[in-house]
mmCIF file of all heavy atoms in Angstrom:
data_model
loop_
_atom_site.group_PDB
_atom_site.id
_atom_site.type_symbol
_atom_site.label_atom_id
_atom_site.label_comp_id
_atom_site.label_asym_id
_atom_site.label_seq_id
_atom_site.Cartn_x
_atom_site.Cartn_y
_atom_site.Cartn_z
ATOM 1 N N GLY H 163 5.241 6.185 -17.900
ATOM 2 C CA GLY H 163 6.175 7.091 -17.112
ATOM 3 C C GLY H 163 6.492 8.279 -17.872
ATOM 4 O O GLY H 163 6.138 8.438 -19.081
ATOM 5 N N ARG H 164 7.157 9.302 -17.230
ATOM 6 C CA ARG H 164 7.464 10.481 -17.920
ATOM 7 C C ARG H 164 8.314 10.274 -19.100
ATOM 8 O O ARG H 164 8.035 10.766 -20.216
ATOM 9 C CB ARG H 164 8.164 11.487 -16.933
ATOM 10 C CG ARG H 164 7.246 12.023 -15.966
ATOM 11 C CD ARG H 164 7.983 12.955 -14.996
ATOM 12 N NE ARG H 164 8.912 12.232 -14.138
ATOM 13 C CZ ARG H 164 10.266 12.099 -14.292
ATOM 14 N NH1 ARG H 164 10.843 12.722 -15.224
ATOM 15 N NH2 ARG H 164 10.963 11.358 -13.506
ATOM 16 N N THR H 165 9.420 9.533 -18.975
ATOM 17 C CA THR H 165 10.368 9.196 -20.057
ATOM 18 C C THR H 165 10.760 7.725 -19.861
ATOM 19 O O THR H 165 10.558 7.158 -18.827
ATOM 20 C CB THR H 165 11.609 10.047 -20.015
ATOM 21 O OG1 THR H 165 12.316 9.753 -18.794
ATOM 22 C CG2 THR H 165 11.297 11.605 -19.914
ATOM 23 N N ARG H 166 11.328 7.186 -20.890
ATOM 24 C CA ARG H 166 11.805 5.741 -20.870
ATOM 25 C C ARG H 166 12.916 5.625 -19.750
ATOM 26 O O ARG H 166 12.868 4.605 -19.019
ATOM 27 C CB ARG H 166 12.389 5.379 -22.210
ATOM 28 C CG ARG H 166 12.421 3.885 -22.432
ATOM 29 C CD ARG H 166 12.803 3.562 -23.788
ATOM 30 N NE ARG H 166 11.682 3.837 -24.749
ATOM 31 C CZ ARG H 166 10.737 2.935 -25.070
ATOM 32 N NH1 ARG H 166 10.880 1.662 -24.630
ATOM 33 N NH2 ARG H 166 9.776 3.205 -25.862
ATOM 34 N N ALA H 167 13.694 6.631 -19.624
ATOM 35 C CA ALA H 167 14.701 6.522 -18.589
ATOM 36 C C ALA H 167 14.247 6.625 -17.171
ATOM 37 O O ALA H 167 14.946 6.272 -16.201
ATOM 38 C CB ALA H 167 15.778 7.689 -18.779
ATOM 39 N N SER H 168 13.090 7.158 -16.998
ATOM 40 C CA SER H 168 12.453 7.257 -15.641
ATOM 41 C C SER H 168 11.694 6.007 -15.240
ATOM 42 O O SER H 168 11.246 5.916 -14.096
ATOM 43 C CB SER H 168 11.535 8.496 -15.581
ATOM 44 O OG SER H 168 10.320 8.264 -16.242
ATOM 45 N N MET H 169 11.544 5.067 -16.157
ATOM 46 C CA MET H 169 10.721 3.975 -15.828
ATOM 47 C C MET H 169 11.478 2.683 -15.310
ATOM 48 O O MET H 169 12.126 2.036 -16.100
ATOM 49 C CB MET H 169 9.844 3.574 -17.130
ATOM 50 C CG MET H 169 8.930 4.691 -17.574
ATOM 51 S SD MET H 169 8.288 4.471 -19.153
ATOM 52 C CE MET H 169 7.261 3.017 -19.020
ATOM 53 N N ALA H 170 11.460 2.587 -14.027
ATOM 54 C CA ALA H 170 12.236 1.553 -13.440
ATOM 55 C C ALA H 170 11.719 0.144 -13.947
ATOM 56 O O ALA H 170 10.502 -0.071 -14.018
ATOM 57 C CB ALA H 170 12.052 1.611 -11.863
ATOM 58 N N PHE H 171 12.695 -0.763 -14.127
ATOM 59 C CA PHE H 171 12.384 -2.154 -14.484
ATOM 60 C C PHE H 171 11.739 -2.229 -15.882
ATOM 61 O O PHE H 171 11.356 -3.447 -16.334
ATOM 62 C CB PHE H 171 11.477 -2.876 -13.472
ATOM 63 C CG PHE H 171 12.023 -2.798 -12.093
ATOM 64 C CD1 PHE H 171 11.367 -1.980 -11.166
ATOM 65 C CD2 PHE H 171 13.154 -3.471 -11.656
ATOM 66 C CE1 PHE H 171 11.793 -1.827 -9.836
ATOM 67 C CE2 PHE H 171 13.603 -3.357 -10.391
ATOM 68 C CZ PHE H 171 12.983 -2.491 -9.428
ATOM 69 N N ALA H 172 11.669 -1.211 -16.698
ATOM 70 C CA ALA H 172 10.966 -1.303 -17.929
ATOM 71 C C ALA H 172 11.661 -2.294 -18.879
ATOM 72 O O ALA H 172 10.972 -3.126 -19.527
ATOM 73 C CB ALA H 172 10.902 0.108 -18.658
ATOM 74 N N GLY H 173 12.915 -2.193 -18.991
ATOM 75 C CA GLY H 173 13.636 -3.070 -19.947
ATOM 76 C C GLY H 173 13.561 -4.504 -19.504
ATOM 77 O O GLY H 173 13.252 -5.349 -20.345
ATOM 78 N N GLN H 174 13.704 -4.772 -18.198
ATOM 79 C CA GLN H 174 13.682 -6.149 -17.727
ATOM 80 C C GLN H 174 12.271 -6.709 -18.020
ATOM 81 O O GLN H 174 12.171 -7.909 -18.375
ATOM 82 C CB GLN H 174 13.971 -6.277 -16.215
ATOM 83 C CG GLN H 174 15.395 -5.901 -15.864
ATOM 84 C CD GLN H 174 15.439 -4.514 -15.321
ATOM 85 O OE1 GLN H 174 14.941 -3.570 -16.006
ATOM 86 N NE2 GLN H 174 15.996 -4.339 -14.093
ATOM 87 N N LEU H 175 11.249 -5.976 -17.750
ATOM 88 C CA LEU H 175 9.904 -6.521 -17.930
ATOM 89 C C LEU H 175 9.599 -6.831 -19.403
ATOM 90 O O LEU H 175 9.036 -7.872 -19.714
ATOM 91 C CB LEU H 175 8.935 -5.468 -17.367
ATOM 92 C CG LEU H 175 8.843 -5.387 -15.885
ATOM 93 C CD1 LEU H 175 8.122 -4.115 -15.440
ATOM 94 C CD2 LEU H 175 8.151 -6.562 -15.323
ATOM 95 N N ALA H 176 10.036 -5.892 -20.280
ATOM 96 C CA ALA H 176 9.859 -6.039 -21.710
ATOM 97 C C ALA H 176 10.639 -7.282 -22.209
ATOM 98 O O ALA H 176 10.123 -8.130 -23.011
ATOM 99 C CB ALA H 176 10.235 -4.821 -22.464
ATOM 100 N N ASP H 177 11.914 -7.408 -21.754
ATOM 101 C CA ASP H 177 12.721 -8.529 -22.137
ATOM 102 C C ASP H 177 12.057 -9.895 -21.654
ATOM 103 O O ASP H 177 12.070 -10.872 -22.414
ATOM 104 C CB ASP H 177 14.131 -8.430 -21.580
ATOM 105 C CG ASP H 177 14.958 -7.330 -22.200
ATOM 106 O OD1 ASP H 177 14.453 -6.823 -23.341
ATOM 107 O OD2 ASP H 177 15.975 -6.964 -21.619
#
Side-chain angles (χ1 to χ4, degrees):
R164 285 178 292 105
T165 64
R166 200 170 285 270
S168 74
M169 296 169 63
F171 308 107
Q174 295 99 308
L175 287 165
D177 289 347

